[in-house]
Amino acid sequence: MKSNTTTNALRHRATRLARLAGTGLFTALLAFSSTSMVAATPAMAADGSEAALGTTLASKAARAEQLTQSLADLHAQYRAAPAHQQPARLDELATAIAERKALLADLIKNDPASALRLALSPSVRAGMPAQVRNALEQHVDVAGELEVFYEEYPNKKARLVHYLRTPQGQRISLHFKTQPPGLLTGTQVRAKGVQLDSSMALESGETSLTLAAKGGATGGSNGGTPAPGPSATGEHRTLVVLVNFQDNPIQPYTPDFAKSVLTTTNDYFLENSHQQMWLNADVAGWFTIANSSSVCDTNAIGTQAQAAASAAGYNLSAYTHLVYAFPQIACGWWGLSSVGGSPSNTWITGELKIGVTAHELGHAIGLFHSHSNDCGADTLGATCTTYEYGDQFDMMGSSSTGHYNAFQKERLGWLNTSSTAPITTVTSDGVFTLEPYAASGTGPKALKIPKGIDPLTGQQAWYYVEFRQAVGFDSVLAGNTNVLNGVLIHTATSSNGNSANLLDMTPNSGTSLYLDWKDPALVVGGTFTDPASGVSITSDVVSATQAVVTVRFGSGGSTSSALLSATGSTSQTTYTRGQTVYLTANVNAGGVPVAGATVSFTVTKANGSQVKGSATTGSDGKALYQFQLKKPDPVGTYQTGMVAAFNGQSATTAVSFNVQ
């Protein structure tokens, strides 16, 4: 039985609430636990840092664990109590659950790993009294549409936030234990995790958030609808709505100035895309809206801005991107944008300039940030730090006007298509030539070299090599002798848009982090070697018009050291007619599971007839195919051939099973 001061205070307060409301003790406790008791979460402060908490997350997790362990005893006491004592015992159980709920709600948002560790199993939750069950978390599998947003702060900090909007009208905030997936707004997904009220904790983006068939009940790697890729070709009609507020109706710049910024932004997109994409921008306003400048309510700002523009005669459905620009208010961030979306939605507060518009609209067309990977004294290492805006030469990093890197442009369809300049994919030893990255020529703009399989995602990782000169919007590089006399090298992973990392070929060269990343290029005469794969990249020659690079794959001279392989298995060795046969293919490269491999299954029955199907591997490298045996099927031995295909490689395997 709980008798500590905190618990008693909570009980007394809840009882008072119940008496005042006249709605019963349990209703008051549940409402109390989801509102009054919730401590402040470490949302971003005005400078983008985490707000101070009264207690640490570690202490909250420890207290939540104590309460979780106490629930079994409290529940047992309630069940064993005589009928006249059960209300008091239920009161104690409800009080502990209410305190635990407040702590768990905070942990889901700020420490998902602890929340997942402490979550009750479905059977334990189901066994709890009905009066308190709704205050307990539950394991869910929910389908809906993904919403992804970046909040950008002036001090180069950012928050990437995810929501799931369900067909039933719920909007659930998603919080990942590990790196979230690089999926875009509008992707139909299934989310598997632990939900409490409108928040959910997920194990990881690869295993807990899977593609789902739109409107259907199936999903995952074998039944999903592919994620919508970035759409960044042709005309993109863009409406910029200028709004201010009734309590502060200032106009910090003119509509003509806003139009000039969007004209420059259009020039940036035209040059970056090799004329593949352009903006057709309109500017509406200024409009004074009812929202207060002391409140950061992005939904209200967007809704009121749209209403004002519609009233002024603008057809919002005609636009690909909606941008709401307004004076600095209480939000703290500089810009906020959906990542993708149809239409996309972008909010810009304060100064309006290309460094904001081209960056935020980069998110709007589907790009994530361009990072740097800092491994201290080494270019690669076991202990590294990823800096969110670390690529100082890319608009999606911290550059003021630099071109998007080659991985970003490839995702957008601006490089390596039939109508754009090529990226040379290197699979064997050789000497390769690059032309200036931002120039208008049609020669190779980058090299793409296999790095190996990313152990975290099971996807193919790549090196991208670029030759940058002070041309066009890349003129921001003028004066940087390191970059102009070498090549930049990034890493990125297939199917993960949020994986672009600049590498430092001269680690620890600067007296500060900022200066250390001013000279990351591999200059003429330098060689970088990946100690794991044996791939080496040498910068041979650099002039104003070309760079010559040598690539070698170690002793093998090719990528064959990471050949695809596959093994197969069945759920059992013998079946009877009417049963379902579960066939599994395990696909890996170099011992690492491969995600996204296509596996073709051919089942040859005992009488020689065949049934064929296919499936795609998940992050664990496994593809599952289900084969239903029918009563007329013959008895005997069945053979199953499996053919896995990934990135131009293939692997085969076979299994057999008996039917009796």
Side-chain angles (χ1 to χ4, degrees), residues 325-454:
F326 45 94
Q328 184 68 56
I329 61 172
C331 292
W333 39 259
W334 191 350
L336 182 152
S337 182
S338 62
V339 184
S342 180
S344 69
N345 287 271
T346 299
W347 293 257
I348 297 175
T349 179
E351 187 178 5
L352 191 71
K353 63 181 184 179
I354 186 176
V356 180
T357 55
H359 181 98
E360 298 303 334
L361 286 171
H363 290 317
I365 60 177
L367 295 183
F368 293 83
H369 285 151
S370 294
H371 320 289
S372 65
N373 194 42
D374 194 317
C375 303
D378 300 310
T379 298
L380 293 175
T383 304
C384 303
T385 301
T386 299
Y387 291 101
E388 186 71 20
Y389 297 92
D391 191 340
Q392 297 184 23
F393 312 99
D394 184 331
M395 180 68 81
M396 299 313 294
S398 58
S399 175
S400 57
T401 64
H403 274 231
Y404 301 147
N405 67 54
F407 172 70
Q408 304 280 37
K409 289 192 183 186
E410 185 181 37
R411 292 187 65 241
L412 296 173
W414 295 355
L415 286 179
N416 218 25
T417 69
S418 59
S419 58
T420 61
I423 293 175
T424 301
T425 300
V426 180
T427 57
S428 60
D429 292 357
V431 179
F432 305 91
T433 301
L434 295 172
E435 68 177 30
Y437 187 66
S440 59
T442 58
K445 296 295 184 180
L447 305 181
K448 184 177 178 181
I449 306 165
K451 182 179 184 294
I453 301 299
D454 183 344

Side-chain angles (χ1 to χ4, degrees), residues 220-499:
S221 59
N222 295 327
T225 300
S231 175
T233 57
E235 179 186 66
H236 280 227
R237 292 201 65 190
T238 304
L239 179 63
V240 180
V241 187
L242 308 178
V243 298
N244 53 27
F245 310 96
Q246 287 190 350
D247 62 338
N248 188 22
I250 64 170
Q251 298 181 11
Y253 44 84
T254 66
D256 285 344
F257 173 80
K259 181 69 173 181
S260 70
V261 173
L262 267 295
T263 298
T264 305
T265 307
N266 174 60
D267 294 340
Y268 176 86
F269 281 124
L270 274 169
E271 181 179 298
N272 264 257
S273 69
H274 296 274
Q275 314 300 307
Q276 298 296 302
M277 174 193 155
W278 58 94
L279 302 180
N280 182 352
D282 294 320
V283 177
W286 292 86
F287 303 116
T288 299
I289 61 176
N291 194 78
S292 169
S293 63
S294 63
V295 177
C296 183
D297 187 338
T298 54
N299 287 333
I301 292 171
T303 299
Q304 293 172 30
Q306 288 184 29
S310 294
Y314 290 91
N315 178 12
L316 301 185
S317 64
Y319 293 95
T320 310
H321 308 295
L322 299 176
V323 180
Y324 318 109
F326 45 94
Q328 184 68 56
I329 61 172
C331 292
W333 39 259
W334 191 350
L336 182 152
S337 182
S338 62
V339 184
S342 180
S344 69
N345 287 271
T346 299
W347 293 257
I348 297 175
T349 179
E351 187 178 5
L352 191 71
K353 63 181 184 179
I354 186 176
V356 180
T357 55
H359 181 98
E360 298 303 334
L361 286 171
H363 290 317
I365 60 177
L367 295 183
F368 293 83
H369 285 151
S370 294
H371 320 289
S372 65
N373 194 42
D374 194 317
C375 303
D378 300 310
T379 298
L380 293 175
T383 304
C384 303
T385 301
T386 299
Y387 291 101
E388 186 71 20
Y389 297 92
D391 191 340
Q392 297 184 23
F393 312 99
D394 184 331
M395 180 68 81
M396 299 313 294
S398 58
S399 175
S400 57
T401 64
H403 274 231
Y404 301 147
N405 67 54
F407 172 70
Q408 304 280 37
K409 289 192 183 186
E410 185 181 37
R411 292 187 65 241
L412 296 173
W414 295 355
L415 286 179
N416 218 25
T417 69
S418 59
S419 58
T420 61
I423 293 175
T424 301
T425 300
V426 180
T427 57
S428 60
D429 292 357
V431 179
F432 305 91
T433 301
L434 295 172
E435 68 177 30
Y437 187 66
S440 59
T442 58
K445 296 295 184 180
L447 305 181
K448 184 177 178 181
I449 306 165
K451 182 179 184 294
I453 301 299
D454 183 344
L456 295 179
T457 65
Q459 298 285 342
Q460 178 68 51
W462 302 89
Y463 289 109
Y464 285 81
V465 182
E466 304 164 4
F467 168 49
R468 306 285 288 269
Q469 290 292 289
V471 176
F473 281 93
D474 261 0
S475 293
V476 69
L477 302 175
N480 189 320
T481 56
N482 169 262
V483 174
L484 298 181
N485 290 286
V487 293
L488 293 179
I489 301 177
H490 295 78
T491 60
T493 301
S494 297
S495 303
N496 183 356
N498 196 17
S499 64

